[in-house]
Amino acid sequence: MDMDLHAWAHRPAEPLQKSSTGLLKGLTFSVKDLIGVSPWPLRASTQAPLPHVPDNPVTQKLLLAGATLIGKTHMHEIALGIMGMNPVAGQALNPLSPNRISGGSSSGAAITVATRECDFALGTDTGGSIRIPAALCGVYGFKPTYNLYSTQGVLPLSTTCDHLGTFARNIHMLQLVHQAILGERPLHLSWKGIKVGLWNIRDWVSPEVWETTENYSHKLQRLGAQVELFDFQVPTSTYGTIVLAEAAFTHRAALEREEKGFSEGTLALLQQGRAITAVQYLAAMKERNMVRQDLKGLFHRYDVLIAPTVPCIAPLLGEDSLDLPEGKVPLRQAFLRITSPWSLLGIPVVSVPLPLRGLSVGVQIMMPHGEDTRLLGLCAELG
């Protein structure tokens, strides 16, 4: 089945195992193919030449905790996209409905967890690349606080926004992996008296996604939380300017070559990044700092923020725009604007899968920087 879904980038004859004891003994995992694991190849689902990537310390820590690494997973080319489209290495398909996209860029990571081929997976999230495929494939996705899980030994896309994170089929597995990485014991926390802000983006999502999100907020209220709507603006160009400029810098050597090796769509985005001036880049970083101040204000009012993870169920292969309450919106924009602010700002987020019409969407649950163990503890209370 995995071949049909294009989940795997590298399946070695022998899995990697470093310890037969430890917290993660008996568990298996996969890693996205931009994470350094010697002696395995790293191709980032592209034909372009890549900078050298050393071994990732988080992966090594998981191996020493007793987990077995069974392979590397396919992704949106060089992680520059959140749909999972890949004309170079083949299109990843949704395990819940193979005529639909899986989301990306950590496509294969989400698929291998959803199909039960492994217990958990490591992926990366720069603008939604863990949360979007997690929501569309029906699994949990965790983007920790920026730099909490080391991105050493990970091929960069954007050093400002890249996060290493995890996928699992339940919150307790995310907690166990978090404990193995950081040594912090899991918590189990109550929602009683918690102030929750629901991001008011009704026009950005399909009516059924908004209804599903509202129903979830009612569940939190039944557990004792207070929920109210909030508005929050992030300039749309801020994220794109920073990420494209930094991606073009990472891949500058390949961009100098005559045969660059990137697919047409990826190359077009990288060329956009090359054209960004230092003045534009610094202005975007300044905007980001201003938005971070706005976020601090939000967290004075609320303990937790929630929002839809995706605007709709997984689009069919070949769809390039969505009909939303506000009108027709290009696919990439419709998805990115919901998830990218929280990567840009570096706060911890769990995407909880919510079933919808035999497929899956999700809700993002967010807390302030460094509240990762508490966030997972609150999510554990939801079952």
Side-chain angles (χ1 to χ4, degrees):
M1 187 181 188
D2 54 73
M3 281 306 295
D4 299 338
L5 299 178
H6 281 287
W8 293 102
H10 180 67
R11 279 306 293 268
E14 288 292 318
L16 276 184
Q17 190 176 16
K18 291 208 166 172
S19 170
S20 54
T21 61
L23 193 63
L24 304 180
K25 178 188 174 184
L27 299 177
T28 58
F29 72 113
S30 66
V31 301
K32 185 176 182 176
D33 191 23
L34 44 56
I35 295 170
V37 182
S38 53
W40 296 354
L42 187 152
R43 299 192 185 95
S45 297
T46 187
Q47 288 169 356
L50 300 170
H52 171 69
V53 178
D55 278 2
N56 171 246
V58 174
T59 304
Q60 297 306 313
K61 206 174 253 193
L62 296 170
L63 288 165
L64 291 170
T68 300
L69 180 55
I70 61 171
K72 295 183 99 177
T73 53
H74 179 41
M75 52 188 271
H76 196 118
E77 187 180 15
I78 66 163
L80 189 50
I82 36 82
M83 298 292 93
M85 311 292 187
N86 195 319
V88 179
Q91 173 67 46
L93 305 174
N94 193 307
L96 301 175
S97 176
N99 61 341
R100 295 177 183 272
I101 67 167
S102 61
S105 63
S106 309
S107 317
I111 295 166
T112 57
V113 171
T115 54
R116 298 180 173 269
E117 291 168 85
C118 54
D119 296 300
F120 66 93
L122 279 187
T124 61
D125 189 309
T126 304
S129 288
I130 285 174
R131 290 160 287 156
I132 290 168
L136 296 182
C137 295
V139 297
Y140 286 81
F142 176 43
K143 181 194 80 63
T145 294
Y146 177 74
N147 225 11
L148 189 68
Y149 294 1
S150 175
T151 51
Q152 267 183 291
V154 177
L155 177 72
L157 180 68
S158 159
T159 49
T160 301
C161 297
D162 288 348
H163 298 68
L164 186 66
T166 47
F167 294 86
R169 288 185 295 279
N170 59 63
I171 206 76
H172 305 292
M173 183 65 70
L174 290 181
Q175 285 185 301
L176 194 64
V177 174
H178 185 68
Q179 185 180 356
I181 294 168
L182 292 185
E184 294 183 14
R185 293 184 71 80
L187 300 173
H188 214 292
L189 301 175
S190 166
W191 284 85
K192 202 169 178 59
I194 297 281
K195 290 181 186 155
V196 177
L198 167 55
W199 193 15
N200 187 11
I201 53 169
R202 182 192 292 264
D203 287 350
W204 286 7
V205 299
S206 70
E208 61 181 4
V209 164
W210 187 252
E211 187 185 350
T212 304
T213 309
E214 280 195 317
N215 288 343
Y216 196 80
S217 76
H218 298 153
K219 178 180 177 178
L220 300 183
Q221 286 171 314
R222 288 193 296 274
L223 291 171
Q226 303 157 10
V227 182
E228 65 178 49
L229 291 172
F230 73 90
D231 291 303
F232 186 63
Q233 296 294 321
V234 180
T236 48
S237 62
T238 310
Y239 168 83
T241 299
I242 292 168
V243 170
L244 292 181
E246 292 180 350
F249 181 76
T250 295
H251 294 283
R252 61 195 181 280
L255 291 171
E256 293 296 334
R257 290 162 49 109
E258 199 172 324
E259 286 296 321
K260 296 171 178 54
F262 299 108
S263 68
E264 198 180 322
T266 301
L267 182 58
L269 287 171
L270 289 171
Q271 300 286 28
Q272 272 183 50
R274 275 186 110 181
I276 291 164
T277 65
V279 171
Q280 290 169 320
Y281 176 76
L282 292 171
M285 290 298 263
K286 193 174 172 185
E287 278 172 355
R288 172 175 172 261
N289 289 336
M290 286 161 65
V291 178
R292 287 184 93 158
Q293 291 308 311
D294 296 342
L295 182 70
K296 277 185 183 163
L298 271 183
F299 279 126
H300 284 310
R301 282 162 50 202
Y302 306 111
D303 304 306
V304 173
L305 305 178
I306 65 170
T309 308
V310 288
C312 59
I313 56 171
L316 292 162
L317 296 170
E319 281 190 62
D320 58 7
S321 64
L322 296 180
D323 287 313
L324 297 172
E326 64 166 356
K328 205 180 252 318
V329 182
L331 216 56
R332 180 179 163 84
Q333 180 191 338
F335 276 79
L336 261 180
R337 64 186 177 178
I338 298 177
T339 50
S340 64
W342 318 111
S343 291
L344 187 69
L345 299 165
I347 60 171
V349 189
V350 171
S351 178
V352 175
L354 301 175
L356 182 59
R357 288 203 279 132
L359 296 163
S360 175
V361 290
V363 63
Q364 298 179 87
I365 303 182
M366 302 170 263
M367 285 186 78
H369 293 93
E371 297 281 337
D372 302 68
T373 304
R374 288 191 66 229
L375 172 61
L376 291 168
L378 276 174
C379 292
E381 179 65 16
L382 299 165

